[in-house]
Amino acid sequence: MKMKMVVDALCGRRRRLPCFLLFILLFGAGGLVLFIHQQETSELAQAQAHAMRLASTLRQSRETLSTQDKERHKSYGYQRAQTPEGVLTSLIPPMQFPHTERRKQKASAMSQEHDMDSLHVTKRQLKLLKTSPLVIQNKNSGFSNSSVFAASSSLSVSPLDSFSSSSGSALQGSWKFFSILEARKQLMKEICAKYKGSISKIITRSHVKHLYVEDKHKLLYCQVPKTGCSNWKRTLMVLAGKASNVQNIQHDTVHYGGHLKKLESFSQKEIMHRLETYKKFVFVREPFERIVSAYRDKLENPNDYYHNLFGKPIISKYRLNPSEEALRTGSGVMFKEFIQYLLDVHRPVGMDIHWDQVNQLCHPCLIHYDFIGKFENMGEESNFLLRLIGAPLSLTLPTFKDRNPGDERTSLEITKKYFSQLSMLERQRLYDFYYMDYLMFNYSKPFKDLY
């Protein structure tokens, strides 16, 4: 009996023990679930608060962007209203050949991509068009026609900041052209830093021998033949008071009359003073087109001086079985022979100013030009420059051709005709010869097979 009571007691304890453990487990599980729920509730509240703050920020951002867009559209609308009819406002790519682009972009004007608030040049801005027609109207404006050069040489300052009001002519759309001028100078600066950074910075007389001086308007002009230099000299003579009318100045008077001073004729101190205080400008041209023009003028057409000095040695060295008459007169040099002479490291006669590289004539990495103009748009850019320096409104750059006036002007079609006589290797070597001019003045490769 006692044994049975003991056994029943033990069995009861065993039954009560699992129940007690089960109760403890259920209580713990309930507590854990409650804790997890509270954590999730807290995290959810925090997430909702963060989401509300984020939504508020996004709304403010959208409102800000919307306001900026409105202001930008207003600004664009103002700019559009100020842009003359027919002016392109889109990016204008660099030209393959100048005359081709001029036909494609008859109504083109200055590119809009250059930010006048910050004259930092991007890769796209390095593709600015070399030519940009201007619309010039005569009416009073806040623009000064005193000088674009009055702008700080630092590219961090907008050229327009240095203008003061005057009673000169208004240059409608001129701010766009100023940006192109600054982009051209910035490109020159970058190319010089990359390729000519190690050259001596000392300027000697040999560096300025092609610069002409006009003291009245404080101008220095670097002569580059076949880029309208004869007409520019005529204009400088009128500006200096040496002549009253550009139309009446003969070719020999321009080049051999001694009416314009060369910078090299001054003392070193006077040279440096003028380089530091005068406004320096140069006009350039597509290199291949320029040398075709030079060849036609000096070697293809009658020219006793060049036929004797260059024609005779060229024919003697590069022509197989030349005739006695050709050797005697030096006339009849073929374009292929002229190119052979240019590419020969042992030329029978030295280089000439008419086909030398512009960077060797004007030294733009030593002499920092305020105005780099393009022959392809000579009319607009030259008149723009004349208005800026305060020239009389009646004075414009003449356009007549006083040498071989019966010949058609050298154009894209004529340039292609002459270059069709050359092999691909000769074209490539000639492109390499003028490569720095192509880079510095942002001219595109003239032929697709060049590299």
Side-chain angles (χ1 to χ4, degrees):
M1 189 68 171
K2 290 181 179 180
M3 181 63 68
K4 183 178 179 182
M5 291 175 64
V6 171
V7 171
D8 290 340
L10 290 174
C11 289
R13 289 175 188 156
R14 288 176 184 173
R15 282 196 295 270
R16 285 196 296 272
L17 184 60
C19 291
F20 179 72
L21 290 176
L22 180 61
F23 174 76
I24 291 175
L25 289 175
L26 289 175
F27 181 79
L32 181 62
V33 170
L34 180 61
F35 176 77
I36 293 174
H37 175 71
Q38 289 177 344
Q39 288 292 105
E40 289 178 350
T41 303
S42 176
E43 292 177 359
L44 180 60
Q46 292 177 1
Q48 288 176 345
H50 179 70
M52 291 177 65
R53 288 194 298 269
L54 181 60
S56 176
T57 302
L58 290 174
R59 281 197 299 273
Q60 292 175 358
S61 300
R62 281 195 288 269
E63 289 172 0
T64 302
L65 289 174
S66 177
T67 303
Q68 291 176 348
D69 288 340
K70 289 178 181 178
E71 292 299 324
R72 190 179 298 114
H73 290 316
K74 288 179 182 178
S75 176
Y76 287 169
Y78 174 77
Q79 293 172 3
R80 196 181 303 271
Q82 296 298 317
T83 304
E85 184 178 358
V87 171
L88 291 180
T89 57
S90 60
L91 171 66
I92 304 175
M95 49 190 168
Q96 193 72 15
F97 265 106
H99 297 287
T100 301
E101 292 300 321
R102 290 181 68 191
R103 284 196 297 271
K104 290 180 180 178
Q105 301 163 2
K106 291 180 180 178
S108 67
M110 292 61 61
S111 172
Q112 218 177 28
E113 65 181 305
H114 198 67
D115 185 359
M116 292 306 296
D117 294 327
S118 174
L119 292 174
H120 172 70
V121 179
T122 65
K123 290 182 179 179
R124 290 180 63 214
Q125 287 167 329
L126 296 183
K127 296 181 178 180
L128 284 171
L129 178 65
K130 294 80 183 167
T131 61
S132 302
L134 297 173
V135 179
I136 300 177
Q137 296 180 351
N138 297 330
K139 62 180 179 179
N140 293 331
S141 170
F143 288 104
S144 167
N145 66 350
S146 59
S147 180
V148 62
F149 311 117
S152 168
S153 59
S154 171
L155 289 175
S156 63
V157 179
S158 168
L160 296 180
D161 292 340
S162 62
F163 280 152
S164 59
S165 60
S166 73
S167 58
S169 62
L171 301 177
Q172 192 174 28
S174 58
W175 64 271
K176 297 179 183 179
F177 189 58
F178 292 142
S179 70
I180 291 181
L181 291 178
E182 291 298 322
R184 289 174 182 173
K185 292 194 294 182
Q186 178 67 10
L187 173 61
M188 180 65 66
K189 181 180 177 181
E190 292 175 359
I191 296 299
C192 289
K194 183 175 182 179
Y195 295 97
K196 302 281 188 176
S198 60
I199 64 173
S200 173
K201 303 302 181 182
I202 299 175
I203 298 177
T204 65
R205 291 182 185 276
S206 64
H207 293 128
V208 300
K209 63 182 180 181
H210 299 302
L211 269 70
Y212 286 84
V213 181
E214 201 283 281
D215 286 313
K216 184 178 179 180
H217 294 81
K218 295 187 176 182
L219 292 175
L220 296 178
Y221 166 61
C222 185
Q223 170 187 229
V224 178
K226 314 315 296 180
T227 63
C229 68
S230 297
N231 285 331
W232 261 116
K233 287 182 179 179
R234 289 184 173 94
T235 304
L236 291 176
M237 287 176 62
V238 173
L239 287 171
K242 304 291 185 179
S244 58
N245 192 320
V246 293
Q247 304 294 332
N248 300 327
I249 308 174
Q250 299 300 315
H251 181 271
D252 288 348
T253 303
V254 169
H255 293 284
Y256 312 115
H259 297 288
L260 295 174
K261 296 179 182 179
K262 282 192 170 184
L263 188 56
E264 65 175 344
S265 66
F266 294 87
S267 68
Q268 185 67 22
K269 182 178 179 180
E270 291 174 319
I271 288 174
M272 296 310 299
H273 172 72
R274 283 169 171 78
L275 285 173
E276 291 169 0
T277 60
Y278 282 26
K279 313 311 174 185
K280 303 168 286 293
F281 73 99
V282 60
F283 274 81
V284 297
R285 186 177 185 176
E286 204 284 333
F288 279 10
E289 191 171 297
R290 176 173 166 253
I291 64 171
V292 169
S293 177
Y295 164 76
R296 295 176 70 204
D297 181 27
K298 305 303 179 185
L299 295 174
E300 188 175 64
N301 285 314
N303 192 313
D304 291 341
Y305 175 80
Y306 275 87
H307 289 183
N308 279 296
L309 183 60
F310 290 91
K312 289 180 181 180
I314 288 176
I315 291 173
S316 177
K317 182 168 185 179
Y318 304 108
R319 184 176 298 180
L320 295 175
N321 302 319
S323 66
E324 291 185 3
E325 182 181 1
L327 290 173
R328 179 177 58 83
T329 63
S331 61
V333 173
M334 294 183 291
F335 184 67
K336 191 177 183 71
E337 295 169 339
F338 171 62
I339 299 304
Q340 287 177 309
Y341 145 76
L342 276 180
L343 299 177
D344 193 348
V345 294
H346 303 292
R347 300 185 188 96
V349 61
M351 283 294 287
D352 182 74
I353 187 175
H354 289 83
W355 42 78
D356 204 353
Q357 298 118 315
V358 177
N359 72 89
Q360 294 297 318
L361 297 176
C362 298
H363 304 281
C365 292
L366 285 178
I367 301 169
H368 304 301
Y369 291 90
D370 303 282
F371 190 107
I372 300 174
K374 296 299 178 77
F375 175 84
E376 291 77 20
N377 194 42
M378 178 66 80
E380 289 83 358
E381 296 194 17
S382 62
N383 289 328
F384 182 85
L385 174 59
L386 288 172
R387 301 293 78 78
L388 289 171
I389 65 172
L393 293 177
S394 59
L395 180 60
T396 58
L397 192 78
T399 59
F400 57 82
K401 189 173 184 287
D402 57 354
R403 284 186 57 82
N404 307 304
D407 286 358
E408 183 182 356
R409 290 184 183 271
T410 303
S411 62
L412 166 65
E413 290 76 16
I414 290 176
T415 300
K416 283 185 174 181
K417 173 185 173 184
Y418 282 89
F419 271 82
S420 66
Q421 304 171 29
L422 306 180
S423 67
M424 185 180 71
L425 179 59
E426 288 171 326
R427 291 201 302 268
Q428 181 62 54
R429 291 185 61 201
L430 196 64
Y431 176 72
D432 294 340
F433 184 75
Y434 290 101
Y435 181 65
M436 287 308 301
D437 281 359
Y438 275 98
L439 278 184
M440 287 181 172
F441 304 111
N442 199 23
Y443 284 105
S444 301
K445 293 179 182 179
F447 295 98
K448 292 182 179 180
D449 57 0
L450 298 175
Y451 57 87

